[in-house]
Amino acid sequence: MKSDMSSLKKSDKKAALDFAAWSFNVTTSVAIIMVNKALMATHGFSFATTLTGLHFVTTTLMTIVFRWLGLSQPSQLPVADLIKFVIFSNLSIVGMNVSLMWNSVGFYQIAKLCMIPASCLLEVVFDHVHYSRDTKLSIMVVLIGVAVCTVTDVSVNARGLIAAVIAVWSTALQQYYVHFLQRKYSLNSFNLLGHTAPAQAGSLLLAGPFVDYLLTGQRVDHFVFSSLALFFLTLSCFIAIGVNLSQFICIGRFSAVSFQVLGHMKTVLVLSLGFLFFGKEGLNLQVVIGMVLAVLGMIWYGNASAKPGGKERRSVLPVRSASLKGSSEEKDGAEK
């Protein structure tokens, strides 16, 4: 009886931590979308790649402060793995920006939906994960629901298709690699960010101005900041700390596929908030049906993947035991 109570308490604690991690990610992600929209659309700072580099600068400063306060333990990450991660991550950032510029909004949304099948394939190939029929069907319902909500006009061109393929696979690989590195080297979210954020900050700040000039035809060093633009830029950088940290926490607790499925809830929330605060223009029966389907699919996915056999890892990745303390996030958060 005592062991049942202990198991129940552990399960409740895990569920509470899972919900807190997901809520943290959703809140910060939706907030940064709204702030960046104000910064770029209203105040004209359209240099997305450079902005992401600045996001990683503030994230790097956060990891340094945490290490100084003793909240982050010393850890190691081989340079080869760090370089691979930075390549995947930077290709994802640049690829998504270029895909949005070269493709219609409809095709851009379809490309984003393809990240779930891509992440599933990576888990099947590299981790020998097996998905039950219900889990597969629930993912399909989520994809159909989000597609009905967001996909409108779809036009494809050769360079846009290439950009979309690079964006999809680099994003899937980056998110898979977060989970892989955390398990393999017993790294918690703070430690992994401490290794990756400085490398991404440096590389994106070097490449960002050139990439942004190619995409916008404008030079970031010629941008004249108003006090409000500077305020929104600073706010964006601080919120980005939460976005980057919560992404690593969530992928560490869930897996790349579950993170993608839950991530589509952000799409539904952004649409809902848009209708709530900016009027009902664009709200029609098709969008409502899509949102309902997406939410039902997410609930079904959560139940199906949690059942025995819903999502099983058939091989075990060797984890560095160690002296390095693994994070309580990964220990408490069994993969979903």
Side-chain angles (χ1 to χ4, degrees), residues 145 148-149 275 280-293:
V148 169
C149 280
F275 296 137
K280 293 187 170 67
E281 184 180 350
L283 181 61
N284 53 43
L285 183 61
Q286 174 185 326
V287 174
V288 172
I289 290 172
M291 290 168 67
V292 170
L293 270 177

Side-chain angles (χ1 to χ4, degrees), residues 63-171:
T63 62
I64 291 170
V65 169
F66 272 55
R67 198 176 298 123
W68 180 68
L69 292 173
L71 299 175
S72 179
Q73 301 299 321
S75 61
Q76 293 181 348
L77 179 65
V79 174
D81 283 323
L82 175 61
I83 291 172
K84 279 188 236 177
F85 178 87
V86 170
I87 289 171
F88 296 149
S89 188
N90 289 357
L91 275 176
S92 167
I93 292 162
V94 175
M96 293 301 291
N97 289 339
V98 173
S99 177
L100 182 58
M101 187 183 77
W102 285 350
N103 292 309
S104 67
V105 174
F107 187 72
Y108 174 76
Q109 290 294 344
I110 287 176
K112 285 179 70 176
L113 292 176
C114 290
M115 289 175 194
I116 290 183
S119 296
C120 287
L121 185 59
L122 290 177
E123 288 192 348
V124 169
V125 171
F126 293 117
D127 294 339
H128 305 288
V129 169
H130 171 75
Y131 295 92
S132 69
R133 187 189 64 173
D134 278 0
T135 304
K136 293 175 187 173
L137 288 173
S138 66
I139 290 173
M140 285 183 63
V141 171
V142 172
L143 294 176
I144 292 168
V146 176
V148 169
C149 280
T150 59
V151 175
T152 51
D153 62 309
V154 178
S155 58
V156 187
N157 59 77
R159 66 177 188 172
L161 178 61
I162 292 169
V165 169
I166 291 172
V168 167
W169 281 105
S170 56
T171 302

Side-chain angles (χ1 to χ4, degrees), residues 47-61:
F47 310 100
T49 309
T50 303
L51 178 61
T52 308
L54 293 173
H55 288 169
F56 281 108
V57 169
T58 51
T59 303
T60 299
L61 293 175

Side-chain angles (χ1 to χ4, degrees), residues 254-285:
F254 300 125
S255 83
V257 173
S258 295
F259 180 70
Q260 282 287 343
V261 171
L262 291 171
H264 284 305
M265 181 61 83
K266 289 180 281 192
T267 304
V268 173
L269 285 172
V270 169
L271 282 172
S272 303
L273 288 172
F275 296 137
L276 183 63
F277 292 111
F278 303 113
K280 293 187 170 67
E281 184 180 350
L283 181 61
N284 53 43
L285 183 61

